[in-house]
C-alpha cells in the first residue's frame, strides 16, 4: 500500500530541488520550445519553387506554350534558358538546379501533326524524396497539357468539343492545403516530450546515487513505489508545462488546426507523460551513472520517437520486422493520437486502441521501475 504522506514528502523534496536548480529548469523549459521552433520551421517536406533550367531546341509557339505552363506553375522556378545540355548538367552537379527540361527540335511539328511528341526531363536524384515529388509535379503538368492538345485535335476533327469519359474531382480531407507542417508539428510534439521527459527523469535517481543521498533515502521507511511516484509527479508538472507550451506554439505559431477534444488531448498526453517519466526513472535506477543514464535515455527516446513513430516516415513502408518492433515504443501510439485529435477531430471511439496501448505501457514501465529500484535497495 502506497503511503500518500511519504509520496507527498518525496514530491515536495523533488520540487524544491527542481526550483533550486535554475539552469536545469530553464533548460527543461527552453529546450523543448527551441526544438519545436527549429524543427517546425526547418523540417518541411513541401517541395515547391523547384529551380529549373529550360533547353528549348524547338523554339516554336508550341514549345513556348509548354514553357509558359511551367513558368506559371507555383511549383517551378525557371532559373534560365540554355542552348545545350552542358549548363543543365553543371547546374545539377553544383546543386543550383533540381530539374532540367529539354524540348527537342521537332516538338512543334509533332504536336501540329497530332503525333507523339517527347519532352526530356532531367532530375537530380541525389535527394530521392524531392526528386520523386518534382517528377510527380512535372508529369501531372505535362500530362494535363498533353490531354488538352489531344482533346483540341479530336474536337477539330469531329467538329464538336471532346469531353473526357471520366472527370476526376479530388477532395483532400483533414489537410486540404497539403502542408507538411500540419502533420509534422503534432508528431514533433510527441517526439520532443518523449525526449525531454525521459532525459529529465533518467538523471534524477542516478544523481542521487552519485551524490550519496540515495543511502539517506534508503534509511527511511520509503518504499520503491513511493519514491518512484513522488519523483515522477514532480517532473510531471514540468512535463505538463512543456506540453502546454508545445501545443500553444503548434496552434498559435504554426497554425496547426486543433479540431478534436482538448480533454482527450490532455488525458492521453498525461498517460504518455507518465510512461515516459517512468521509463526515465527505470533507466536511472538501472545505471546509477548520470552519463550512462543520459546516453541510454537519449538512444531509447530520440531515435525510436523520430524514426519509428510514423511522424516523418510511414511505418507501412518499413520492413515487416521493423513494423513489429515499432509497437513497443509509445511514441508510435501518441503520434497517431495527436494527428487524430489535431487534424481529424476524432475521439476515443476511434483512438481507443492507441490510448489503451499507452495505459498498458505506463503500467508495465512503472512495474519495471519499482522492481529495478527494489533490486537496487536489496
Amino acid at each position: 500500500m502506497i503511503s500518500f504522506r511519504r509520496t507527498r514528502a518525496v514530491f515536495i523534496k523533488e520540487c524544491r530541488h527542481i526550483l533550486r536548480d535554475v539552469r536545469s529548469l530553464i533548460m527543461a523549459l527552453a529546450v523543448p520550445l527551441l526544438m519545436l521552433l527549429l524543427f517546425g520551421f526547418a523540417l518541411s517536406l513541401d517541395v515547391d519553387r523547384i529551380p529549373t533550367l529550360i533547353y528549348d531546341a524547338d523554339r516554336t509557339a508550341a514549345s513556348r506554350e509548354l514553357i509558359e505552363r511551367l513558368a506559371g506553375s507555383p511549383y517551378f522556378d525557371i532559373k534560365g534558358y540554355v542552348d545545350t545540355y552542358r549548363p543543365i548538367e553543371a547546374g545539377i552537379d553544383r546543386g543550383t538546379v533540381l530539374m532540367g527540361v529539354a524540348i527537342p527540335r521537332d516538338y512543334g511539328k509533332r504536336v501540329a501533326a497530332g503525333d507523339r511528341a517527347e519532352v526530356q526531363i532531367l532530375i537530380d536524384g541525389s535527394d530521392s524524396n524531392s526528386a520523386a515529388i518534382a517528377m510527380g509535379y512535372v508529369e501531372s503538368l505535362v500530362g494535363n497539357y498533353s490531354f488538352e492538345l489531344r482533346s483540341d485535335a479530336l474536337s477539330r476533327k469531329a467538329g464538336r468539343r471532346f469531353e473526357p469519359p471520366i472527370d476526376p474531382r479530388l477532395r483532400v480531407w483533414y489537410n486540404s492545403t497539403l502542408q507538411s507542417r500540419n502533420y509534422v508539428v503534432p508528431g514533433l510534439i510527441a517526439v520532443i516530450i518523449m525526449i525531454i521527459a525521459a532525459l529529465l527523469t533518467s538523471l534524477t535517481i542516478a544523481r542521487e546515487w552519485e551524490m550519496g543521498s540515495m543511502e539517506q533515502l534508503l534509511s527511511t521507511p520509503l518504499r520503491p513505489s513511493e519514491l518512484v511516484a513522488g519523483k515522477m509527479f514532480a517532473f510531471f508538472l514540468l512535463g505538463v508545462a512543456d506540453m502546454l507550451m508545445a501545443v500553444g506554439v503548434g496552434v498559435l505559431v504554426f497554425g496547426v488546426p486543433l479540431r478534436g477534444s482538448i480533454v482527450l488531448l490532455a488525458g492521453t498526453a498525461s498517460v504518455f507523460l507518465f510512461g515516459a517519466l517512468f521509463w526515465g526513472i527505470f533507466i536511472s535506477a538501472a545505471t546509477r551513472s548520470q552519463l550512462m543514464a543520459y546516453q541510454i535515455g537519449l538512444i531509447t527516446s530520440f531515435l525510436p520517437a523520430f524514426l519509428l513513430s510514423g511522424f516523418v516516415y510511414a511505418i507501412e513502408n518499413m520492413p515487416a520486422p521493423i513494423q513489429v518492433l515499432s509497437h513497443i515504443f509509445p511514441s508510435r501510439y501518441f503520434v497517431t493520437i495527436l494527428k487524430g485529435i489535431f487534424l481529424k477531430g476524432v475521439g476515443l471511439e476511434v483512438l481507443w486502441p492507441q490510448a489503451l496501448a499507452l495505459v498498458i505501457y505506463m503500467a508495465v514501465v512503472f512495474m519495471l521501475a519499482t522492481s529495478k529500484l527494489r533490486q537496487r535497495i536489496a
Side-chain angles (χ1 to χ4, degrees):
M1 186 66 180
I2 297 179
S3 169
F4 173 76
R5 184 172 60 87
R6 291 194 292 263
T7 303
R8 178 174 174 271
V10 176
F11 167 75
I12 294 174
K13 172 250 181 194
E14 204 65 33
C15 286
R16 288 175 177 172
H17 178 78
I18 292 173
L19 293 175
R20 288 194 192 105
D21 193 355
V22 179
R23 287 181 297 180
S24 298
L25 180 60
I26 294 175
M27 183 189 73
L29 295 174
V31 169
L33 177 62
L34 180 62
M35 291 178 65
L36 186 60
L37 291 174
L38 181 62
F39 280 103
F41 284 113
L43 186 59
S44 174
L45 303 180
D46 299 327
V47 179
D48 54 6
R49 311 303 301 170
I50 300 168
T52 305
L53 284 178
I54 303 294
Y55 171 31
D56 184 8
D58 190 49
R59 298 182 183 276
T60 61
S63 66
R64 286 193 294 271
E65 184 176 356
L66 176 59
I67 295 172
E68 289 176 0
R69 295 290 183 97
L70 290 168
S73 171
Y75 301 113
F76 305 100
D77 181 15
I78 308 300
K79 293 297 184 181
Y81 301 87
V82 297
D83 296 326
T84 62
Y85 281 98
R86 184 169 297 177
I88 297 178
E89 296 175 358
I92 292 177
D93 289 341
R94 295 190 183 97
T96 56
V97 297
L98 180 66
M99 187 178 74
V101 178
I103 303 175
R105 293 184 182 278
D106 59 348
Y107 172 81
K109 186 183 298 184
R110 286 180 172 273
V111 168
D115 297 335
R116 183 182 181 88
E118 296 181 350
V119 176
Q120 187 177 25
I121 309 297
L122 305 171
I123 298 179
D124 182 3
S126 59
D127 183 352
S128 58
N129 180 67
S130 299
I133 295 176
M135 188 181 301
Y137 288 158
V138 71
E139 285 180 348
S140 175
L141 186 144
V142 173
N144 291 334
Y145 178 55
S146 173
F147 177 80
E148 290 181 14
L149 291 175
R150 184 175 300 176
S151 63
D152 289 342
L154 291 175
S155 298
R156 287 194 298 269
K157 290 181 181 180
R160 60 185 179 87
R161 183 66 183 171
F162 174 76
E163 297 292 340
I166 299 177
D167 183 17
R169 299 186 180 184
L170 303 179
R171 180 182 177 186
V172 180
W173 284 13
Y174 310 131
N175 186 13
S176 57
T177 58
L178 294 178
Q179 292 183 353
S180 62
R181 182 181 298 174
N182 287 342
Y183 67 86
V184 166
V185 171
L188 273 176
I189 294 174
V191 172
I192 292 171
I193 296 302
M194 181 68 190
I195 296 170
I196 295 300
L199 290 183
L200 284 177
T201 51
S202 65
L203 300 177
T204 174
I205 294 181
R207 183 173 58 244
E208 301 273 11
W209 285 112
E210 291 185 354
M211 295 175 61
S213 57
M214 181 59 73
E215 285 77 5
Q216 299 175 4
L217 288 174
L218 298 181
S219 64
T220 66
L222 270 175
R223 296 179 179 178
S225 56
E226 296 165 353
L227 181 61
V228 170
K231 286 180 173 292
M232 186 277 304
F233 278 114
F235 285 98
F236 176 76
L237 295 179
L238 197 56
V240 169
D242 286 333
M243 188 71 192
L244 291 174
M245 182 170 53
V247 172
V249 170
V251 174
L252 299 178
V253 177
F254 293 106
V256 179
L258 179 55
R259 300 190 174 103
S261 169
I262 297 179
V263 175
L264 179 59
L265 175 61
T268 53
S270 298
V271 175
F272 178 72
L273 265 176
F274 282 138
L277 293 168
F278 286 143
W279 176 250
I281 292 177
F282 168 73
I283 295 173
S284 186
T287 58
R288 291 197 182 188
S289 166
Q290 290 192 73
L291 178 60
M292 184 65 68
Y294 178 82
Q295 292 174 341
I296 296 177
L298 188 63
I299 292 173
T300 57
S301 62
F302 176 74
L303 294 180
F306 197 87
L307 299 176
L308 301 179
S309 65
F311 111 91
V312 172
Y313 309 104
I315 297 178
E316 295 77 12
N317 297 334
M318 298 178 183
I322 302 298
Q323 294 186 35
V324 174
L325 180 65
S326 68
H327 284 89
I328 67 176
F329 299 107
S331 50
R332 167 182 175 144
Y333 308 107
F334 193 49
V335 166
T336 302
I337 290 174
L338 284 175
K339 290 181 178 180
I341 294 175
F342 271 88
L343 300 180
K344 299 181 180 180
V346 295
L348 201 58
E349 71 280 358
V350 174
L351 301 173
W352 70 265
Q354 289 78 20
L356 179 61
L358 290 182
V359 172
I360 295 173
Y361 175 83
M362 178 191 67
V364 170
V365 177
F366 174 74
M367 290 187 291
L368 288 175
T370 53
S371 175
K372 177 59 66 174
L373 194 59
R374 190 176 292 112
Q375 292 175 12
R376 289 295 188 184
I377 293 174

